[in-house]
Structures are given as structure tokens and as C-alpha cells.
């Protein structure tokens, strides 16, 4: 095992609403940005950390710094009247109940669970629902370990924010790895388990091992070929793999997954090339890759953070230079401060194309832009002129109905639509790709089986 080189080990220090004024950057912050943070952090969960503040944010580049905008809330994330309401309550030192009532109302408007997440994807094992599991696409099960429901910092756009604000009803939680194992034994069609959150890498290695080792040791789980971990820790706290007290234990666990003959995929959430370029990030990547794990890069396009082709080009190139595999570019989904973040699909497509066409095939493993919509992952192929009119060409990369994958279809062109549900089928033939039409019999003529399998509830 590689020895940790950093000495003394830097300690993880969270920065939240309660201690942000004590950071040395706070005093020099523009008063308007400061008030924005004070007001917004009452409504949206706010958490960053010293490493992000000291090494990833360029404080001379405010208010446009991408990482600042990734973790610090801005006044523009709320409707103006909503912002003013909370700001005035704060200024007038209103009581807690009054502030809380306003905050609740705003949060409810922000649509905490898009794409039918809470109601449509909860699978059952032996007649019992398993709330920490999601099985939407045949080959891959998502697992949300109860202990991994937080992150080293919070992204302001995150659709999982409802999980972080202590609303029990909305919490995906599952303490029972037993249920996961039972489910997997009953589902030989599953080849991949994807641990996600929050961020599973906030867990101590001892806890993480309790979830992963049983899969390696169970003779009935030979069909699980790939273990994936979705994580932003590689960007927000790479010390996790370098100098944390259990960094070497984590790497040993990774090695053991690989030794079991499986693929270990670290699905790294990278938003910007700056996250890849610190010394500790380079060292973390080197150490993770030395275990035989591979690291893929995926992220949504976020306005004010990475809505620029040059950023993506630089990030994919830098990642590939360090042995990472560009994987997905996502379209941000319809939740949270949509107005602040939203970008038309055609703009996102342009960002993708502009970055992609300037890179070699080594970086063209990336797919996108892709929307994780209710029916599946919808790939925006781009605008086209057809006899039927101007259109947007689309395809499913993943679909609740596997028969639909990789069949090109068309939506009426829209210069403003920013999500799948704002698009309309171009022709009647295209309508079958919209889930509202999935009960229709006319589709079986095409040989498309529209019955949703039992795992897709
Ligand atoms: C993206 C996603 C997956 C994984 O899809 P891949 O294309 O295999 O990376 C699995 N389940 C859900 C619900 C997803 O959104
Ligand atoms: S790291 Fe991932 S789960 Fe955590 S806040 Fe960011 S996007 Fe959300």
C-alpha cells in the first residue's frame, strides 16, 4: 500500500451558515453577496468546506467564480419577491416562526422530488418496500446507503437538497444491507450496483465496507460484475483518498473489489477543470487508479458554473490526461432554483458539441447532453430540418422500456425548452416515445413491447 505523504494530515472543516463569518474570506466579501448568502442559506441547505474555499475558489474572480457559484447561494436563486420577503424578515429581526413559515412556503414551490423519484422507483423484496433502493433500468440498481446521505459540500443546484434539510418524510434511508443483498439475489438480470447518495464516500471505511464486502463474498451474487460509487468527494475532499485516517483502508477495499474480478467504477462528479488540478486531487486520482479502479467523469451543465464549451473541453482533456474517462454530460433537472440555473436544451447541446468536436477520440467516450427524465435518459442529438418542420432529434440512452433505447425520434423544435416535458412529439409516429402514450396498443405494430417490467414500478 502506498504511504500517505502529507504531514500533518489536514482536517476536514465544514463551513456552514453558523461559522462562515469566521472564515478569513468573509470580511472581504461584497456586502450584497454576503446578504445573499445570509438570506438564501435559510431556505436552501448551505455547506462548503475549507479546502473548497482555500484551494478551489478564486476570490479575485467574484461574483463569477465557478466554484463560488457552485457552493455559495446567490440572491438570484429566488424569485425577487421571495428573496425580499425573507431579507426583510431577517433585517427586521423577525421571530423564528415567522421566518420558518416563509421559508416553508418557498421550499415547497421549489419541487424537491422531480421525475417521480419518491413514488415510482421503490422496489420490493419479499413484499416489503425497500426505500433505499431504486431500480429503474434493468441492469443497474441504485442504492442510497443511510449513512451516505450528506456531502463534503453542497452544490446549490442539487435536486437532492430535500434530503439535507432534515425533512424525514423525504429522506431515502435504508439501514439494511440485508435487504439490498436479498434483492440482488432475486434479480440475476442486474449486473451493476451503483452506490449513491448524498455521497457514499462521506462514510468511514468501516461503514462503507459493511455495504460492499458482503457483495464480494456472496456466491449467489456472482452476477454483480460492476460496483460503482457515485461521488463528489474526488472534487470536494480528495484528502479522503490521501491523508484521512482511513484513506489506506478505503484503497484496500477498492483493491479487494478489483481482486474479486469485478470492475470498480468511481463515478466522479466533476464540475470544472479547476477541481482536477490541485496537488491533492492529482494524488487522490493516482492512488485510486493504483487500486485498479477506474474513474469516470460526469456532471450537469450549470449556468454560472460551467455553461461554456471551453470549460468542458479543458476538463475532459485534463481528466483524460490523468487517466479519467469522460462519461456523461447531464442537463440539469427541473427542481430547485430553476430560473437561476436553467439553460435551453439547444444551448446545452451547443456547449457539448463545441467541446466534443475539439477533442480527440479518447475524450469522446462522453455522451450527452442527457436528461434523466421520468421515462429514461434522453439524449439530445441536436436540431434538424425535416420535411415535417424544424425538429430536435432525440434518443433514449436508458429507458424504463429497454425496447426504446437507441431509436432516434423527434420533438418539435424549441429554442427555449430546457427539459423533456416542455417538448412535444413532431409527428404521431414520435408520440410513442412519450410515456403518456405508453398504454396505447398502436405501438405493438412496431414490435415495441410497452409493458413496464415489474422492476420498474
Ligand atoms: C443514470 C442512471 C443509472 C446508470 O445509468 P448508466 O447509463 O449505466 O450509467 C441507473 N439508474 C438510474 C436511475 C439512473 O438515473
Ligand atoms: S455532491 Fe452530489 S449529492 Fe451532494 S450536493 Fe452536490 S450534486 Fe448533490
Amino acid at each position: 500500500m502506498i504511504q500517505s505523504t502529507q504531514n500533518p494530515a489536514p482536517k476536514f472543516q465544514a463551513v456552514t451558515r453558523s461559522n462562515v463569518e469566521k472564515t478569513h474570506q468573509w470580511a472581504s466579501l461584497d456586502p450584497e453577496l454576503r446578504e445573499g448568502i445570509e438570506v438564501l442559506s435559510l431556505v436552501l441547505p448551505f455547506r462548503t468546506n475549507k479546502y473548497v474555499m482555500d484551494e478551489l475558489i478564486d476570490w479575485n474572480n467574484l461574483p463569477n467564480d465557478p466554484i463560488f457559484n457552485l457552493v455559495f447561494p446567490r440572491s438570484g436563486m429566488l424569485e425577487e419577491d421571495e428573496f425580499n420577503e425573507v431579507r426583510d424578515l431577517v433585517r427586521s429581526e423577525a421571530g423564528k416562526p415567522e421566518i420558518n413559515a416563509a421559508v416553508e412556503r418557498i421550499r415547497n414551490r421549489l419541487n424537491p422530488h422531480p421525475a417521480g423519484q419518491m413514488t415510482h422507483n421503490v422496489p420490493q423484496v419479499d413484499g416489503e418496500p425497500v426505500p433505499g433502493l431504486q431500480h429503474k433500468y434493468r441492469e443497474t440498481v441504485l442504492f442510497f446507503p443511510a449513512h451516505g446521505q450528506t456531502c463534503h459540500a453542497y452544490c446549490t443546484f442539487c435536486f437532492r437538497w430535500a434530503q439535507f434539510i432534515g425533512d424525514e418524510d423525504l429522506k431515502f434511508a435504508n439501514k439494511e444491507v440485508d435487504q439490498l443483498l436479498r434483492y440482488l439475489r432475486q434479480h440475476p438480470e442486474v449486473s451493476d450496483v451503483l452506490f449513491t447518495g448524498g455521497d457514499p464516500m462521506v462514510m468511514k471505511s468501516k461503514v462503507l465496507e459493511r455495504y460492499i464486502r458482503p457483495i464480494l463474498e456472496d456466491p449467489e451474487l456472482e452476477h454483480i460484475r460492476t460496483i460503482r460509487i457515485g461521488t463528489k468527494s474526488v472534487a470536494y475532499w480528495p484528502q479522503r483518498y490521501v491523508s484521512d485516517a482511513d484513506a489506506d483502508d478505503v484503497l484496500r477495499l477498492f483493491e479487494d473489489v478489483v481482486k474479486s474480478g469485478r470492475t470498480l467504477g468511481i463515478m466522479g462528479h466533476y464540475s470544472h477543470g479547476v477541481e482536477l488540478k490541485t496537488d491533492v486531487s492529482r494524488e487522490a486520482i493516482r492512488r485510486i487508479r493504483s487500486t485498479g479502479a477506474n474513474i469516470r467523469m460526469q456532471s450537469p451543465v450549470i449556468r454560472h458554473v460551467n455553461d461554456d464549451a471551453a470549460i468542458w473541453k479543458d476538463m475532459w482533456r485534463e481528466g483524460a490526461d490523468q487517466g479519467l474517462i469522460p462519461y456523461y454530460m447531464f442537463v440539469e433537472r427541473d427542481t430547485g432554483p430553476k430560473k437561476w440555473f436553467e439553460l435551453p436544451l439547444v444551448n446545452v447541446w451547443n456547449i457539448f458539441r463545441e467541446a466534443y468536436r475539439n477533442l480527440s477520440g479518447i475524450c469522446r467516450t462522453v455522451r450527452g447532453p442527457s436528461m434523466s427524465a421520468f421515462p429514461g435518459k434522453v439524449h439530445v442529438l441536436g436540431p434538424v430540418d425535416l420535411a415535417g418542420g424544424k425538429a430536435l432529434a432525440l434518443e433514449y440512452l436508458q429507458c424504463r422500456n429497454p425496447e426504446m433505447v437507441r431509436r432516434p425520434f423527434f420533438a418539435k423544435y424549441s429554442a427555449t425548452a430546457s427539459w423533456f416535458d416542455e417538448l412535444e412529439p413532431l409527428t404521431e409516429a414520435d408520440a410513442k416515445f412519450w410515456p403518456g402514450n405508453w398504454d396505447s396498443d398502436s405501438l405493438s405494430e412496431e414490435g415495441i413491447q410497452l409493458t413496464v417490467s415489474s422492476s420498474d414500478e
Side-chain angles (χ1 to χ4, degrees), residues 134 136-137 140 142 192 194 228 267 298 327-328 330 333 367 372 377 397-398:
Q134 194 181 332
K136 184 167 167 180
Y137 309 127
T140 305
L142 260 52
D192 288 38
L194 169 47
R228 305 195 220 172
M267 313 305 286
Q298 56 182 20
Y327 190 58
Y328 272 129
F330 293 119
R333 50 168 82 194
R367 290 164 301 162
S372 296
K377 280 193 169 65
L397 293 171
Q398 290 281 10

Side-chain angles (χ1 to χ4, degrees), residues 58-91:
D58 175 0
W59 296 87
N60 296 317
N61 186 26
L62 298 190
N64 297 322
D65 183 79
I67 307 298
F68 179 78
N69 283 319
L70 182 61
V71 294
F72 280 91
R74 300 282 305 275
S75 57
M77 290 177 190
L78 291 185
E79 297 291 338
E80 201 176 330
D81 57 328
E82 288 173 339
F83 177 81
N84 291 345
E85 182 186 2
V86 182
R87 182 202 58 196
D88 294 345
L89 289 172
V90 171
R91 281 187 185 170

